[in-house]
């Protein structure tokens, strides 16, 4: 029997992967927890370009945050409400101009769940908050709405400058994290910043900010895949195992081979992977998100809930 490590409440409850088949997006994988009716409704769906949340991310070539389903373009509102799901974020995965997949993560909301999924976009040489979901972290949401980042500043600006994923620890006390005071008040501890390349050269940065009590993830990994058929773990942190990468052992990093394990499948297929149970290293959910740069796979980020 698989041993599943599951916190009392998680920030993200569902992850699903939509891939193009002809002129529509079809469900190619997902982890739904106990939300069986929502999973069944999802398997019966497909989306043309511009339809529903996955189709909107495809058509607009950008990450999309949807904080309310009622009255929106979301097509599975009733079963989502039955499952207690209240918001969703769609993340398109492009390789050059070609859409490889859309990753959709869905969250539930209550008075206790704290964390953040943010989308930052560049305008006039500065990153501004395009949208975000913050759960109960209302003050941190307000601070974020009134914060901007030049290239190189804060987590979003650092990702923009480096064009690579970046992992930050101790958000509440870290001098590199510009919003540290309000992050500490909200209980946010770890931040993962990810560049989201899209056609046309627009800049988007996705940030996942995890709180200890209701984590987005209990384990984060960043894999450098620029070598081709293998990827090296260049950073990582785990609630159970602590730091996953030692800078003193550079050159002897953990290696993932193509098609071996979830990270290897993201490396081989170039599309996101979502797993549970033994395939997710015993976690309730893991997601591996590939990042393409210049049409080639450059990194894979993975998080485990």
């Amino acid at each position: 029997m698989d041993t599943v490590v599951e916190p009392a409440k998680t920030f993200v409850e569902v992850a699903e992967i939509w891939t193009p088949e002809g002129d529509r997006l079809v469900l190619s994988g997902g982890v739904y927890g106990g939300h069986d009716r929502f999973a069944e409704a999802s398997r019966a769906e497909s989306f043309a370009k511009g339809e529903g949340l996955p189709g909107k991310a495809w058509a607009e070539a950008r990450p999309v945050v949807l904080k309310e389903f009622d009255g929106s373009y979301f097509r599975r509102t009733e079963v989502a409400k039955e499952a207690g799901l209240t918001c969703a974020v769609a993340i398109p995965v492009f390789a050059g101009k070609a859409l490889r997949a859309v990753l959709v993560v869905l969250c539930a909301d209550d008075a206790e769940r704290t964390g953040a999924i943010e989308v930052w976009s560049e305008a006039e040489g500065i990153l501004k908050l395009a949208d975000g979901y913050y759960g109960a972290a209302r003050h941190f949401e307000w601070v974020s709405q009134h914060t901007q980042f030049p290239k190189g500043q804060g987590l979003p600006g650092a990702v923009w400058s480096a064009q690579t994923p970046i992992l930050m620890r101790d958000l509440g006390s870290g001098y590199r994290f510009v919003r540290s005071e309000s992050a500490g008040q909200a209980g946010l501890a770890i931040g993962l910043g990810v560049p989201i390349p899209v056609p046309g050269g627009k800049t988007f940065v996705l940030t996942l900010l995890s709180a200890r009590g209701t984590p987005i993830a209990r384990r984060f990994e960043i894999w450098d895949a620029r070598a081709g058929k293998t990827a090296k773990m260049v950073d990582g942190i785990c609630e159970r195992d602590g730091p996953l990468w030692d800078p003193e052992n550079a050159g002897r990093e953990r290696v993932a081979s193509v098609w071996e394990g979830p990270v290897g499948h993201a490396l081989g297929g170039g599309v996101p992977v979502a797993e549970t149970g033994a395939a997710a290293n015993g976690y309730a959910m893991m997601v591996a998100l590939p990042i393409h740069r210049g049409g080639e796979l450059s990194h894979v980020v993975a998080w485990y809930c």
Side-chain angles (χ1 to χ4, degrees), residues 20 89 93 128-129 143 153 155 183 203 226 239 251 267 280 293:
V89 181
V93 177
K128 301 178 182 180
L129 184 68
V143 170
Q153 186 180 61
L155 179 57
T203 296
R226 288 173 287 189
E239 187 178 282
L267 177 64
R293 176 62 58 189

Side-chain angles (χ1 to χ4, degrees), residues 3-305:
T3 300
V4 174
V5 179
E6 189 171 8
K9 287 186 177 181
T10 56
F11 195 66
V12 175
E13 296 209 351
V14 169
E16 54 186 20
I17 298 143
W18 299 86
T19 52
E21 188 174 287
D23 60 354
R24 302 190 71 82
L25 292 172
V26 298
L27 187 68
S28 64
V31 175
Y32 291 88
H35 303 311
D36 295 337
R37 285 204 63 207
F38 187 77
E40 183 181 351
S42 300
R43 285 191 288 267
E45 277 283 11
S46 68
F47 299 95
K49 196 171 187 178
E51 286 183 346
L53 180 59
K56 186 176 180 68
W58 181 13
E60 298 187 3
R62 66 178 179 91
V64 177
V65 179
L66 185 57
K67 290 185 281 193
E68 293 184 7
F69 296 152
D70 282 335
S72 75
Y73 47 84
F74 194 78
R75 294 219 308 227
R76 295 164 285 164
T77 298
E78 291 305 315
V79 285
K81 288 172 68 175
E82 287 178 16
L85 302 171
T86 55
C87 74
V89 181
I91 305 158
V93 177
F94 283 94
K97 294 181 179 180
L99 180 77
R100 301 302 306 275
V102 176
L103 170 67
V104 176
V105 295
L106 296 105
C107 307
D109 196 5
D110 59 30
E112 298 177 1
R113 297 188 206 220
T114 297
I117 302 176
E118 304 175 314
V119 176
W120 298 85
S121 62
E122 184 270 333
E124 299 178 346
I126 201 160
L127 282 180
K128 301 178 182 180
L129 184 68
D131 212 342
Y133 170 66
Y134 295 85
R138 303 302 184 196
H139 178 67
F140 185 77
E141 179 177 9
W142 184 90
V143 170
S144 301
Q145 290 169 343
H146 294 82
T147 303
Q148 300 177 357
F149 295 98
K151 185 176 283 190
Q153 186 180 61
L155 179 57
V159 171
W160 180 19
S161 178
Q163 294 297 305
T164 62
I166 292 176
L167 192 57
M168 279 190 179
R169 288 90 161 155
D170 302 321
L171 299 185
S173 58
Y175 70 94
R176 294 174 61 201
F177 194 74
V178 172
R179 298 166 287 164
S180 60
E181 183 177 353
S182 53
Q185 293 171 356
L188 301 173
I190 297 171
L192 175 67
V194 184
I196 307 296
V198 298
K202 291 185 178 179
T203 296
F204 292 99
V205 173
L206 174 77
T207 53
L208 307 178
L209 309 180
S210 192
R212 291 184 177 89
T214 54
I216 285 178
R218 306 181 80 176
R219 179 185 180 103
F220 291 97
E221 300 170 349
I222 298 177
W223 298 80
D224 189 330
R226 288 173 287 189
K229 294 186 178 180
T230 60
K232 292 182 178 181
M233 186 191 294
V234 293
D235 205 355
I237 190 167
C238 178
E239 187 178 282
R240 294 187 309 196
D241 302 328
L244 301 176
W245 182 73
D246 181 359
E248 295 182 2
N249 287 326
R252 292 182 288 174
E253 298 94 342
R254 302 183 192 189
V255 175
S257 298
V258 65
W259 300 118
E260 291 185 3
V263 171
H265 275 75
L267 177 64
V271 299
V273 173
E275 296 286 359
T276 188
N281 199 26
Y283 287 85
M285 178 193 301
M286 77 81 62
V287 175
L289 174 65
I291 308 299
H292 298 263
R293 176 62 58 189
E296 300 292 331
L297 187 63
S298 66
H299 293 81
V300 176
V301 296
W303 60 90
Y304 301 71
C305 303

